[in-house]
C-alpha cells in the first residue's frame, strides 16, 4: 500500500512544480528573446551579440545540469526515505555502498572535465572573435583620455582640414564631447592617456578597455575594433577610478548612417563663415538638421556643474 501512495505523492509534486514554472514564465510578461537573454542587456554591436550567445548557451547548459542534480536529489529524498514503521536498522540493513565503485568515480571525474573543456573552447572562440582586428578598418579614431575628459581625433584621409590638421573633438567642463561614428562600418579605436590610467567604456558595446599613458612602452594592446548595428545615442564613461572628478568623465557616442556620417565629416573640415573657424561637432550637427540624431548636445548625459555654490546646503 505504501508504494502507490509514494507514486501519487511524486506525481502531485511534479504537477505543482510544472504549474509553478508555468506561472513564473507567464507572470513576467517577457518575450522569448528576453527570456533567453537571462538578464543580459541589449547590445548594439555584432561583438555584443556573440557574447550574448555565449552567455545564453552557458546558462542553458548550467540549468540543464542543475535540473538533473535537483531531480536526483528530490528523487532520492522522496523515494528513499526511511519508513516510519521500520525497525531500528543494524549494520546488515545498510543500503548498498558505492565508495569503491570505480566506474562511478570515473564518471564523476570525466564528465565534469568534458564540461569544463567545452566551456573553455566556446569562451576562447568568442573572445578571439570579439578581439579580432581587420587590417583595413573603415574609420580610425584616436581616443585620448585626460583628467577629466576626452578628446577624439579622426585619423582618416577624408577627415583632414585644409590646414592639414585632423578633425577632433575635445570635451570641457561645460560640454560633453560627442564621438560621431557611422553604422555598419568597421571602426578602430586607438586609446591613449595623457596622465593617469582611464578606461573607455560604452555599456551598449558590452566592452571596455583601459586607457594607458604610453601603451607601446609597456607592450599593451591599446586598440580594438567593432561595428555599430543601429543609429542612436549611447552614453560613454570612464570605468577606472582616475581622480576627483572620475564620475563625471562622460562622453556620448552618436551613431549615424554612413551618408549622414560622411556629411558630418565634410562639415567638420569646412570653415564656419560666422566664426571664421572650422565647424565644431555641435555646429556640424546643427547644419545637418536631421532631427533628434543631429541634436548638437549630448542627450544621454550632462556636464558636471562646476558652480560650488550649487552643492552647498541651503538654509
Amino acid at each position: 500500500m505504501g508504494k502507490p501512495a509514494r507514486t501519487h505523492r511524486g506525481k502531485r509534486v511534479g504537477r505543482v512544480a510544472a504549474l509553478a514554472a508555468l506561472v513564473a514564465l507567464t507572470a513576467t510578461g517577457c518575450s522569448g528573446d528576453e527570456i533567453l537573454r537571462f538578464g543580459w542587456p541589449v547590445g548594439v554591436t555584432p561583438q555584443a551579440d556573440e557574447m550574448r550567445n555565449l552567455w545564453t548557451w552557458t546558462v542553458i547548459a548550467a540549468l540543464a545540469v542543475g535540473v538533473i542534480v535537483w531531480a536526483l536529489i528530490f528523487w532520492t529524498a522522496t523515494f528513499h526515505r526511511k519508513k516510519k514503521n521500520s525497525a531500528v536498522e543494524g549494520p546488515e540493513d545498510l543500503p548498498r555502498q558505492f565508495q569503491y565503485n570505480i566506474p562511478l568515480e570515473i564518471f564523476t571525474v570525466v564528465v565534469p572535465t568534458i564540461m569544463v573543456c567545452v566551456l573553455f573552447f566556446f569562451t576562447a572562440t568568442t573572445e578571439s572573435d570579439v578581439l579580432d582586428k581587420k587590417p583595413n578598418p573603415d574609420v580610425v579614431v584616436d581616443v585620448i583620455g585626460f583628467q577629466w575628459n576626452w578628446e577624439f581625433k579622426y585619423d582618416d584621409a577624408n577627415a583632414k582640414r585644409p590646414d592639414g590638421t585632423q578633425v577632433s573633438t575635445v570635451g570641457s567642463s561645460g560640454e560633453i564631447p560627442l564621438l560621431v561614428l557611422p553604422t555598419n562600418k568597421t571602426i578602430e579605436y586607438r586609446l591613449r592617456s595623457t596622465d593617469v590610467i582611464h578606461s573607455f567604456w560604452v555599456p551598449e558595446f558590452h566592452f571596455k578597455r583601459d586607457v594607458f599613458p604610453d601603451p607601446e612602452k609597456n607592450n599593451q594592446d591599446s586598440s580594438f575594433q567593432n561595428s555599430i548595428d543601429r543609429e542612436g545615442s549611447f552614453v560613454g564613461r570612464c570605468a577606472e577610478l582616475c581622480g576627483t572628478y572620475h564620475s563625471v568623465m562622460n562622453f556620448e557616442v552618436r551613431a549615424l548612417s554612413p551618408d549622414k556620417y560622411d556629411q558630418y565629416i565634410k562639415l567638420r573640415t569646412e570653415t564656419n563663415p560666422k566664426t571664421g573657424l572650422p565647424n565644431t561637432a555641435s555646429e556640424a550637427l546643427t547644419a545637418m538638421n536631421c532631427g533628434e540624431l543631429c541634436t548638437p548636445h549630448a542627450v544621454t548625459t550632462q556636464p558636471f556643474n562646476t558652480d560650488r555654490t550649487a552643492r552647498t546646503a541651503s538654509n
Side-chain angles (χ1 to χ4, degrees), residues 17-291:
L19 180 61
L22 180 62
V23 171
L25 185 63
T26 56
T28 60
C30 298
S31 65
D33 181 70
E34 290 174 324
I35 293 171
L36 290 177
R37 285 185 177 278
F38 296 110
W40 187 271
V42 177
V44 297
T45 68
Q47 293 80 3
D49 290 338
E50 286 196 56
M51 290 184 279
R52 197 294 293 265
N53 289 333
L54 174 64
W55 168 257
T56 295
W57 287 109
T58 300
V59 174
I60 290 175
L63 287 175
V65 173
V67 167
I68 293 172
V69 173
W70 296 330
L72 291 173
I73 292 173
F74 292 141
W75 178 74
T76 302
T78 303
F79 299 108
H80 291 271
R81 295 183 300 172
K82 182 179 177 181
K83 284 68 175 177
K84 292 182 179 180
N85 58 352
S86 62
V88 178
E89 294 179 348
E92 67 281 0
D93 298 320
L94 288 176
R96 184 181 177 186
Q97 302 300 294
F98 288 92
Q99 67 265 35
Y100 301 114
N101 191 311
I102 302 301
L104 181 61
E105 292 179 1
I106 293 176
F107 175 81
T108 57
V109 171
V110 171
V111 171
T113 301
I114 294 175
M115 293 168 60
V116 170
C117 290
V118 171
L119 179 60
F120 176 82
F121 170 79
F122 285 107
T123 300
T125 301
T126 302
E127 181 180 6
S128 178
D129 291 341
V130 169
L131 298 180
D132 183 47
K133 298 177 186 177
K134 296 181 180 179
N136 297 304
D138 299 309
V139 176
V140 177
V141 181
D142 292 323
V143 178
I144 303 168
F146 59 92
Q147 292 178 317
W148 288 274
N149 224 308
W150 301 90
E151 179 180 5
F152 307 117
K153 290 184 179 181
Y154 295 84
D155 192 12
D156 297 308
N158 62 342
K160 283 189 177 181
R161 300 189 178 103
D163 60 0
T165 59
Q166 295 293 136
V167 171
S168 65
T169 301
V170 183
S172 67
S173 60
E175 183 177 2
I176 297 292
L178 301 177
L179 175 56
V180 180
L181 298 171
T183 58
N184 302 312
K185 297 289 185 179
T186 301
I187 306 164
E188 179 167 308
Y189 308 82
R190 297 176 180 173
L191 313 177
R192 176 180 295 272
S193 170
T194 62
D195 36 54
V196 300
I197 299 175
H198 301 282
S199 183
F200 182 86
W201 179 44
V202 180
E204 284 81 4
F205 288 178
H206 297 175
F207 186 93
K208 68 182 179 69
R209 173 153 286 177
D210 284 350
V211 183
F212 292 93
D214 299 319
E216 62 280 350
K217 291 184 178 180
N218 298 308
N219 196 29
Q220 292 157 338
D221 187 357
S222 59
S223 65
F224 71 96
Q225 295 181 358
N226 68 9
S227 60
I228 304 174
D229 291 336
R230 61 181 176 85
E231 292 185 321
S233 301
F234 317 109
V235 65
R237 306 186 186 279
C238 174
E240 184 75 29
L241 182 59
C242 58
T244 306
Y245 298 108
H246 153 76
S247 62
V248 294
M249 190 174 165
N250 298 338
F251 61 95
E252 181 172 281
V253 172
R254 188 70 58 80
L256 305 177
S257 62
D259 59 322
K260 294 190 185 78
Y261 172 78
D262 291 340
Q263 182 184 359
Y264 168 81
I265 291 296
K266 184 176 182 298
L267 286 168
R268 291 298 310 274
T269 62
E270 296 175 353
T271 301
N272 188 330
K274 296 181 180 179
T275 62
L277 299 173
N279 283 310
T280 64
S282 60
E283 290 171 346
L285 289 171
T286 300
M288 290 172 63
N289 190 27
C290 60

